[in-house]
Amino acid sequence: MSETKEEGDKTIRGARTMTLNLKRTVDAGHVRQSFSHGRSKSVLVEKKKKRSIQTPGGPQAPEDEQVKATDAVEATPSAAEKAAGTKEAKAESAILRELSDEEKDARAKALAEAKVRDAEELERVGADAERAAADAEVKQREQSEAEEKKRLEEERVKAEAATRAKTDETGRERPATESPRAAEDKTERRGDVRPKKEKSAAKRDEERRVRGKLTISNALDDGQRQRSLASLRRRQERQKRQTVEPGDATKIEREVVVPEAITIQELANRMAERAVDVIKFLMKQGDMHKINDVIDADTAELVVEEFGHTIKRVSEADVEEGFIGEDDTGEDLETRAPIVTVMGHVDHGKTSLLDALREENVVAGEAGGITQHIGAYQVDTGGHRITFIDTPGHEAFTAMRARGAKVTDIVVLVVAADDGVMPQTVEAIHHAKAASVPIIVAINKMDKRDADPNRVRTELLQHEIVVESMSGDVLEVEVSATEKTNLDKLLEAILLQTELLELKANPDRPAEGVVVEAKLEQGRGPVGTVLIQRGTLHVGEIVVAGAAWGKTRALISDRGEQVEEAGPAVPVEVLGFNGAPEAGDQFAVVENESRAREITEYRVRKRRQIHASGAGSRGSLEQMMSQLSESGLQEFRLVIKGDVQGSVEAIIAALQKLGTDEVEARIIHAGVGGITESDVGLAAASGAALVGFNVRASKQSKAAADRDSVEIRYYAVIYDLVDDIKAAMSGLLAPTMRETFLGNAKILEVFHISKVGKVAGCQITEGKVERGANVRLIRDDVVIHEGKLSTLKRFKDEVATVQSGQECGMAFEGYQDMRADDVIECFQVEEIERTL
C-alpha cells in the first residue's frame, strides 16, 4: 500500500500535462489461523493481481519486479479500458524511467523479504504436518500395546483357572469355616491374581492411564488406586515359582558352623532352611521349642544331619586362635635389648636412680628430651640399649603377671643402705621370685654417713637372697644416685646378666607385646604405652589389646618423636585405640577390622559373663581345689599375714609339716601387719589363698579383693587355720574310685513317648536296677554309652528299684540311641577320699 502511494506521488510530480487514473490492484481480507494447543490468530491476507504495462504501439512488457501470486486473477479489458490502459501505460513508463537506482534496490529488497516469509510459512506448515503424523503413530502404538496386555491378561487368567482346577483335583479343599471373602483375601496374599467380576483387566488399564498426574486427591481416591504393572509382574513370577515341581530344585549341601550353643533361628539361617521345619523336626523328637530357644551343639548336630548338611563344630573361644603367633625358629632370631624393672621400698631412691641413669646417657644437646609420662624408655650404653620400665609401685607388675604376660627380663632391687630391708622390699623380692626373674641388688644411698651395706646383705639372707660377695649368685652394686657413683657398674651388671639370658627376638613378623600403661588424654583420645616383645609395629596397622582395638594413627617414641615403626624391646605410645586398654593386656597385630571386632566382642562378652556369674574368684579355697586338681598341680599357694612375727613363724612351720610327696604348701608371702592392697594383688597374680591371723584388711584392700575376686579367710585360733588348710590340701589328692555291680537288663523293645523321648522296655536278667544309678549301654559286647538313668518305671509308676526277673521301662539322661537286644549294665561308683 505504501509503495502504491509512493508511486502515485511520483506520478503527480513526473506527469505535468498527463492525467493518471490508477485502478485498485490489491484485495485484502482477514483469515483466522489455528495453531497447536488450541491457540488461534487473525491474519491479514492480501491478494495482488497481475498487472501488465502496455507500451504505445508495441507488445506487452511485463514488469520485472512484479510478484506473481498463485491465486492472481487476470482481467480481460474492454475497448474503453484498453484506451485508458494505454494512457496508464504511458504514465507508468514515464514513472519507471524516472525511478532512481536506490528506489529500485529498495523495491528488490522488499520483494526478497516477501519470498523469505513465504518460505518460512511453508516450512512451519510442513512441521505441523509431521507432528500430527507422529501423534497419530504414538496413539496407534499405545492402542496396540493395550490390546497386547489385554491378550496376556486373558491368557494368564486361563492359566490360573487351570492351576486352580489342578489344585482341586489333588484334594486340597477350602475349609468349611472359611468364608468366600476370607478365601479371596487369602488368595490375594498368596499371590494369585483373580479378575474381579465388576472390572475387567482392560478397563483397569484404561482407568490407570486416564487418571493422569498423581495428586493427593488421586492417591486418596479408592477408585483411582490400582496395582501397578510391576506388582502384577512380581505376582506372575511368584506364581511361576509356586508352580515349579519340588523335585526340580537341587538340594544344596552346606557346611554349617555350629558353636557350643545356638538359637533355632540362627541355625536355620546357617542351613538356609525354614525355622518352622527345624521346629517340626524337634517336635518329632519329643522336644517343644520356640524359634528363639537355644539348643546345644549335640542337638544342633542331629538337626544339621537330618537336613542333609555337614556340621563343623567350633568353640566360642576359637576366635582367639592364631591371635598370638607361633614361636620363632632360631635362624630368624636377632639379639634384642633387655627389659629392666626397677623395684624397691618407698623413698629408697628408685626415681632418683632412674633420673641419674637417664641424664647420664642422654646424647649431648638433648637434655630433657625424654618425656616423663611414657612410663618406659631406652638408655644407650655404648652401642647397647637397655629398656627401663618406670613402675611407681607393684600394681602394673602384678597386673601383667596376673594376665599371664611375662614382660620383665631383669629386676633391679633398690635397697637403701641406711634403712635396710623394708616390707615393700620383701614384697618386691616375692614378686620377682614368683615371676622367676633374675634380681640385681642396687645398694643405694652410699653417700650417707650411716650407710651400712653389710647390714643389707645380711638382711637379704633371711629372704633367700645371697649376693656374690657372700658366695651367692645374685649380683649387687653399691651406688649413689645423688653423687652418680658406680652407675656404670650397674649398667655393666645388667649387660652381663643379659648375656647370660641370651635375649633374642624376630623383628620380621607382625608385632606382639604388652600394654605397660594406658590412659585417656584430652585431645589425643585413648593412649596406650606398649612394649613390643617380638615383631615390628608400623603406622597404619590394626592392633588388638584386651577388649580394645584400633588402627595405629601414630607411634610416639620415648623421646616424644613420631616414628614410623618400632621393633622388639622398644617402648612406644600408640594412638588410635577405640577405648583405653588395661595395663598388662597382650596386644598383637591382626589382618583386618572384622577380625579385630570378632576378638574384642568375644572378650567383652566373656568379661560380662564372668562379672554376671561371679566367677573368677581365684582366691576361694573350694575353687582353688577344683582348679588345681584339674590342672594337675601339686602345690597349695598361700599368702599369710599375722599380728606378730612369732605367730607367722608358727603357722609356716605347721603348714610345712603337712606336705607329702604329692602335695605341699607353698608360702608365696608371709608378713606381719594388716592386709594391704599389695597383698591382695600378689594373691590375685599368683593364684594364692589369702589368710589373715588376728589381722584385718583395710577398706581399700577389701575393695581390691572384691574387684579381683580374691577371698580373704580370717582366723583367731591356729588349729582352725591348720585344719582348714589340711582339708583343702587333701582335696588335691586324687580320690580312690570303687565300683559296685548292681545288675543287668536286656532291652526287649524301644518305645517313643511324647515329652519324654525314647524309653526302653527291659527285663532284669541279673541282680537289680536302681533309679539314679550309673549305667552302661552294651551292644555286641561293646560299651557305646555310659551315663545315668533318668527314668525307671514299673508299669506306669515311677519306682526306685526293680528286682531280677521283672520288667520295667528305663530312659537315659541325654541319650536316645537305644535298640532292641542291647544290654544295660547298672552299677554304683563310690569315691573314697584320701587324707594327709
Side-chain angles (χ1 to χ4, degrees):
M1 296 293 290
S2 60
E3 293 176 1
T4 306
K5 184 177 181 181
E6 191 175 3
E7 293 173 359
D9 294 338
K10 291 181 180 180
T11 303
I12 293 172
R13 288 194 304 270
R16 295 184 178 89
T17 60
M18 186 185 304
T19 302
L20 180 64
N21 280 328
L22 295 178
K23 292 183 65 178
R24 181 174 181 178
T25 60
V26 177
D27 293 335
H30 289 274
V31 177
R32 181 164 298 277
Q33 185 177 5
S34 298
F35 298 93
S36 60
H37 306 292
R39 295 187 297 110
S40 63
K41 182 180 178 182
S42 179
V43 182
L44 178 64
V45 179
E46 296 180 353
K47 285 186 178 181
K48 292 185 179 181
K49 297 180 180 179
K50 185 175 182 181
R51 183 175 54 193
S52 60
I53 301 175
Q54 300 286 342
T55 56
Q60 289 187 353
E63 185 180 358
D64 295 336
E65 293 83 1
Q66 179 66 38
V67 179
K68 296 181 180 180
T70 307
D71 298 331
V73 180
E74 264 185 44
T76 305
S78 61
E81 290 175 348
K82 287 181 178 179
T86 304
K87 296 179 180 180
E88 292 175 0
K90 293 179 179 179
E92 186 73 10
S93 176
I95 292 171
L96 289 174
R97 285 195 298 270
E98 294 182 5
L99 288 177
S100 64
D101 295 337
E102 294 179 358
E103 292 170 346
K104 291 180 180 180
D105 293 340
R107 290 174 62 87
K109 185 177 180 180
L111 292 174
E113 290 178 355
K115 290 180 180 181
V116 171
R117 285 196 300 271
D118 292 342
E120 291 178 353
E121 183 69 18
L122 290 175
E123 184 179 356
R124 185 187 60 77
V125 172
D128 292 342
E130 291 179 358
R131 191 181 304 109
D135 292 342
E137 184 179 357
V138 170
K139 289 182 180 179
Q140 184 178 1
R141 186 168 59 251
E142 290 179 352
Q143 184 176 0
S144 62
E145 289 179 357
E147 292 176 355
E148 181 67 17
K149 289 180 181 177
K150 181 177 179 181
R151 185 181 62 79
L152 293 175
E153 184 72 17
E154 292 176 354
E155 292 178 357
R156 184 185 54 75
V157 170
K158 292 179 182 179
E160 290 173 359
T163 303
R164 286 196 297 273
K166 183 179 180 180
T167 304
D168 295 339
E169 291 175 0
T170 55
R172 294 183 182 179
E173 297 181 358
R174 190 179 65 200
T177 57
E178 189 175 14
S179 63
R181 179 60 182 170
E184 184 178 352
D185 295 341
K186 187 173 181 181
T187 305
E188 286 288 335
R189 289 194 300 271
R190 191 171 61 244
D192 296 338
V193 181
R194 297 181 180 178
K196 296 183 179 180
K197 297 180 180 179
E198 59 272 15
K199 282 188 179 181
S200 63
K203 190 173 183 180
R204 285 201 304 271
D205 290 341
E206 183 181 357
E207 290 183 356
R208 189 181 301 111
R209 295 188 179 280
V210 168
R211 69 182 182 184
K213 187 185 295 184
L214 179 63
T215 61
I216 295 177
S217 60
N218 289 343
L220 297 178
D221 187 3
D222 292 337
Q224 291 282 344
R225 297 176 65 183
Q226 301 292 339
R227 290 190 177 273
S228 63
L229 295 177
S231 176
L232 295 175
R233 293 193 193 99
R234 289 195 296 269
R235 286 193 171 184
Q236 292 175 1
E237 293 296 331
R238 286 198 297 268
Q239 182 65 24
K240 289 179 181 178
R241 288 196 297 267
Q242 290 176 1
T243 55
V244 175
E245 295 297 332
D248 296 343
T250 305
K251 183 71 174 180
I252 301 176
E253 182 178 349
R254 293 178 171 83
E255 184 182 35
V256 183
V257 178
V258 177
E260 298 172 356
I262 188 173
T263 63
I264 293 177
Q265 178 69 70
E266 180 63 21
L267 180 61
N269 292 340
R270 295 186 181 186
M271 295 189 302
E273 303 284 353
R274 296 195 310 165
V276 177
D277 297 335
V278 178
I279 295 176
K280 287 180 180 179
F281 172 72
L282 294 175
M283 290 175 63
K284 292 179 181 178
Q285 301 298 318
D287 298 330
M288 300 295 294
H289 288 286
K290 299 187 296 294
I291 194 170
N292 294 324
D293 287 352
V294 179
I295 58 177
D296 56 8
D298 294 335
T299 306
E301 184 175 0
L302 293 176
V303 174
V304 171
E305 292 177 353
E306 173 66 22
F307 283 87
H309 304 290
T310 57
I311 187 170
K312 180 181 179 182
R313 297 180 64 166
V314 297
S315 174
E316 194 177 12
D318 291 345
V319 297
E320 291 193 350
E321 287 187 1
F323 176 66
I324 300 299
E326 299 178 354
D327 295 336
D328 300 309
T329 58
E331 57 186 15
D332 299 330
L333 300 179
E334 297 180 6
T335 304
R336 65 170 177 85
I339 302 172
V340 181
T341 301
V342 180
M343 306 178 72
H345 193 71
V346 180
D347 295 333
H348 275 203
K350 298 189 302 295
T351 305
S352 300
L353 184 60
L354 288 171
D355 291 341
L357 290 171
R358 185 186 68 240
E359 293 174 4
E360 185 72 16
N361 293 277
V362 170
V363 180
E366 294 186 0
I370 298 179
T371 56
Q372 289 286 334
H373 62 276
I374 194 168
Y377 56 90
Q378 277 194 333
V379 171
D380 193 356
T381 60
H384 299 281
R385 288 186 174 272
I386 302 174
T387 302
F388 286 94
I389 299 178
D390 185 8
T391 55
H394 310 304
E395 289 80 6
F397 192 84
T398 303
M400 291 175 195
R401 288 198 301 106
R403 290 173 176 82
K406 180 183 176 183
V407 180
T408 304
D409 299 318
I410 301 171
V411 169
V412 173
L413 182 65
V414 179
V415 184
D418 55 345
D419 288 343
V421 177
M422 300 297 287
Q424 286 190 6
T425 308
V426 178
E427 293 175 2
I429 293 172
H430 292 155
H431 278 277
K433 285 186 175 181
S436 301
V437 178
I439 299 174
I440 297 177
V441 179
I443 304 176
N444 197 16
K445 300 184 180 181
M446 289 299 298
D447 56 322
K448 289 194 173 183
R449 294 181 181 178
D450 53 350
D452 187 3
N454 291 326
R455 172 191 170 189
V456 175
R457 296 184 179 97
T458 305
E459 291 179 351
L460 289 174
L461 290 174
Q462 301 176 6
H463 304 285
E464 301 178 358
I465 301 294
V466 183
V467 297
E468 279 190 335
S469 60
M470 302 182 73
S471 302
D473 56 353
V474 177
L475 299 175
E476 95 273 12
V477 182
E478 298 177 2
V479 297
S480 174
T482 305
E483 300 295 332
K484 297 181 182 179
T485 57
N486 291 338
L487 296 181
D488 53 347
K489 293 184 178 179
L490 178 60
L491 295 176
E492 288 177 2
I494 294 174
L495 294 176
L496 178 60
Q497 189 67 52
T498 303
E499 292 179 1
L500 297 176
L501 294 175
E502 296 182 355
L503 302 174
K504 293 183 178 181
N506 179 14
D508 301 326
R509 60 168 297 161
E512 297 175 6
V514 178
V515 179
V516 177
E517 66 178 17
K519 52 195 170 183
L520 190 64
E521 292 187 3
Q522 187 174 2
R524 301 175 72 194
V527 180
T529 302
V530 302
L531 188 62
I532 300 170
Q533 293 176 306
R534 57 180 182 173
T536 303
L537 180 63
H538 302 84
V539 175
E541 292 182 332
I542 299 173
V543 296
V544 175
W549 73 277
K551 187 175 183 180
T552 306
R553 276 203 326 265
L555 297 176
I556 300 176
S557 66
D558 55 347
R559 298 178 182 272
E561 302 172 353
Q562 287 198 11
V563 295
E564 294 297 325
E565 60 181 23
V570 176
V572 288
E573 283 187 342
V574 178
L575 277 67
F577 285 107
N578 64 341
E582 297 183 7
D585 284 340
Q586 284 188 314
F587 86 91
V589 175
V590 295
E591 55 271 15
N592 49 42
E593 293 186 5
S594 60
R595 170 74 169 155
R597 288 194 182 94
E598 188 179 24
I599 295 174
T600 53
E601 287 174 0
Y602 164 72
R603 290 179 174 177
V604 170
R605 186 166 58 252
K606 197 72 174 177
R607 185 178 301 175
R608 190 183 300 117
Q609 292 175 357
I610 292 175
H611 287 300
S613 61
S617 54
R618 293 163 291 187
S620 64
L621 294 179
E622 291 82 6
Q623 293 190 4
M624 275 188 59
M625 288 162 53
S626 61
Q627 291 175 3
L628 293 176
S629 59
E630 290 175 1
S631 60
L633 298 178
Q634 299 299 323
E635 62 180 16
F636 196 85
R637 301 180 182 182
L638 291 167
V639 175
I640 300 174
K641 295 299 288 286
D643 53 350
V644 293
Q645 187 67 29
S647 300
V648 174
E649 292 177 356
I651 292 171
I652 293 174
L655 294 178
Q656 287 178 348
K657 294 179 180 178
L658 297 176
T660 64
D661 296 337
E662 298 182 32
V663 61
E664 64 179 2
R666 180 186 175 189
I667 311 300
I668 300 296
H669 173 62
V672 178
I675 298 174
T676 63
E677 294 182 64
S678 180
D679 298 328
V680 176
L682 181 60
S686 304
L690 186 54
V691 177
F693 184 75
N694 287 331
V695 293
R696 291 294 183 269
S698 62
K699 183 177 180 181
Q700 294 80 5
S701 302
K702 290 180 180 178
D706 294 338
R707 182 179 65 251
D708 296 338
S709 300
V710 174
E711 182 184 5
I712 303 176
R713 292 288 185 95
Y714 299 110
Y715 294 96
V717 181
I718 191 172
Y719 301 107
D720 296 337
L721 187 152
V722 174
D723 290 342
D724 282 356
I725 300 301
K726 182 178 180 180
M729 292 173 63
S730 299
L732 298 180
L733 297 174
T736 302
M737 309 298 293
R738 179 182 297 171
E739 182 178 312
T740 304
F741 175 78
L742 293 179
N744 283 337
K746 183 179 181 181
I747 298 179
L748 302 179
E749 190 174 354
V750 179
F751 304 95
H752 184 80
I753 301 177
S754 60
K755 298 184 181 181
V756 177
K758 291 184 178 180
V759 176
C762 308
Q763 183 179 16
I764 310 301
T765 58
E766 182 181 358
K768 63 179 181 179
V769 175
E770 296 181 356
R771 185 176 57 188
N774 294 332
V775 291
R776 294 189 184 95
L777 184 63
I778 302 173
R779 182 178 300 161
D780 298 330
D781 297 329
V782 177
V783 178
I784 62 173
H785 174 69
E786 185 171 340
K788 287 190 175 183
L789 283 180
S790 62
T791 302
L792 182 63
K793 289 190 175 183
R794 176 80 174 144
F795 298 104
K796 293 186 178 181
D797 299 328
E798 194 80 22
V799 295
T801 305
V802 179
Q803 299 296 331
S804 176
Q806 297 179 345
E807 294 183 354
C808 62
M810 287 188 285
F812 295 162
E813 291 183 357
Y815 191 77
Q816 302 285 329
D817 186 14
M818 298 176 290
R819 302 177 185 177
D821 296 331
D822 289 350
V823 177
I824 299 176
E825 180 182 348
C826 185
F827 62 95
Q828 286 183 343
V829 177
E830 298 179 6
E831 294 185 359
I832 302 176
E833 296 183 357
R834 299 171 58 194
T835 58
L836 294 175

